Amino acid sequence: MTVLATCSVLSAAVIAVTLIALPRLHPRIAAIALLLGSLAAATAGLWALSVPTFAYLFHSTSDGLAGWCRSLLGNSQVPSWLGLPSAILLATILLRLVRRWRVLHRSSRHIPVGERITIVDQDEPLAMTTSGRTGRIIVSTGMLDALTPLEQRSVFAHELTHLDHRHDRYLLWSELAAIANPLVAPLNRLLRRSLERWADENAAEAVGDRTVVARALEIAARSTLGLPTLGSGMGHSEVLARLDALDLPAPRGHHSVAGEALIVVGLATAAVNVVGTGLQFHQLLELLVHVCPF
């Protein structure tokens, strides 16, 4: 439990430091740190629930069935008032995770395969990237007609960033983390903004002019069409904050000592939490194999 408590504190620390340093971090570093902080907090929560749940399940069985499991666990007996609610809550979270994963996976599979870049005949300005392995960039003729060639280049550079770096995966894991631990749900909005800022900065670097990207962003923001599940759109996330950021000088490079250290701590904490939770589920599997006649 000491390791669990330490990891829980580290998970909170990663999130806190990320939020404090967010304005000074490159959006790429911020996005990775936010995701790792969310995953670390989510897995810490799952671990915290799995410990009393599985200890209760093991110690509530008869000596003839799981006496050997008790000697392996080394956990003290957990009372019903703690173990039973933990088991119900953990089962509910796992069920929600499985259901949401299936919905998101099904929605991404139903996106038809097409060219990497698709131009649709539509007057409303639209620039977006669909999710999944078959993800592609969709831009409307109305968007292209409203832009200069350099602005068009910035739009494609922005959307290619989403596509090439698979930002839909960031959004997927962030949403699943919020299901596992609702306390990290507010980070989803910050993560989406960081992903869009990441794409904005790449576009600005590609065209060499931040005002060009800002103008393209203003035009894209006129779109009233919603995004598909886990999709990314140039004008769909906190446009004013992104315009303000484009008015400022370009942030520091993609790599920094503080940012990389934050990522390492977040990754290590999440990994330890995953291992700890995995051990608990492994012990449950051992019990099921021992108890069930197969």
Side-chain angles (χ1 to χ4, degrees), residues 6-278:
T6 301
C7 289
S8 300
V9 172
L10 286 176
S11 301
V14 170
I15 294 175
V17 172
T18 303
L19 295 178
I20 293 172
L22 198 58
R24 297 183 295 276
L25 292 174
H26 189 283
R28 170 186 170 274
I29 298 293
I32 297 175
L34 283 169
L35 178 60
L36 289 177
S38 297
L39 291 176
T43 51
L46 290 176
W47 191 4
L49 281 176
S50 66
V51 169
T53 295
F54 297 147
Y56 170 73
L57 293 177
F58 285 132
H59 290 281
S60 63
T61 57
S62 65
D63 291 337
L65 289 177
W68 64 279
C69 289
R70 292 193 186 92
S71 62
L72 290 178
L73 272 173
N75 292 330
S76 59
Q77 187 168 358
V78 175
S80 298
W81 63 264
L82 176 60
L84 192 57
S86 297
I88 294 174
L89 184 56
L90 182 61
T92 302
I93 289 175
L94 294 177
L95 181 60
R96 291 187 62 201
L97 284 173
V98 171
R99 285 180 174 177
R100 190 55 181 160
W101 175 274
R102 292 180 60 185
V103 169
L104 296 175
H105 181 64
R106 192 182 303 118
S107 65
S108 63
R109 287 177 55 192
H110 287 172
I111 296 175
V113 178
E115 299 294 333
R116 185 174 172 86
I117 298 177
T118 301
I119 308 298
V120 296
D121 187 10
Q122 176 180 290
D123 293 333
E124 185 171 9
L126 174 67
M128 57 178 279
T129 303
T130 60
S131 61
R133 287 177 294 179
T134 60
R136 65 185 191 273
I137 297 169
I138 300 176
V139 180
S140 68
T141 54
M143 183 74 183
L144 296 177
D145 292 341
L147 301 175
T148 65
L150 193 59
E151 290 166 352
Q152 293 177 5
R153 182 183 169 193
S154 74
V155 169
F156 287 117
H158 176 104
E159 300 302 337
L160 280 171
T161 300
H162 289 315
L163 194 62
D164 292 341
H165 294 279
R166 290 301 306 271
H167 286 175
D168 60 300
R169 290 180 176 175
Y170 287 73
L171 298 174
L172 167 63
W173 287 108
S174 178
E175 183 169 342
L176 294 179
I179 293 175
N181 187 348
L183 294 177
V184 303
L187 298 182
N188 285 353
R189 179 179 60 85
L190 294 176
L191 174 63
R192 185 176 286 274
R193 184 209 295 176
S194 295
L195 293 176
E196 293 297 338
R197 288 272 299 107
W198 179 355
D200 288 342
E201 293 300 331
N202 279 13
E205 185 177 346
V207 301
D209 190 338
R210 302 174 70 79
T211 60
V212 170
V213 180
R215 170 167 163 73
L217 175 56
E218 289 176 341
I219 294 174
R222 299 174 189 171
S223 175
T224 59
L225 298 177
L227 287 174
T229 304
L230 302 182
S232 299
M234 186 170 187
H236 285 80
S237 180
E238 302 195 39
V239 174
L240 292 179
R242 291 163 56 197
L243 287 173
D244 290 340
L246 287 169
D247 284 337
L248 300 173
R252 297 178 180 178
H254 287 52
H255 302 278
S256 66
V257 175
E260 298 294 348
L262 189 62
I263 290 175
V264 169
V265 173
L267 183 60
T269 304
V272 172
N273 290 337
V274 169
V275 171
T277 307

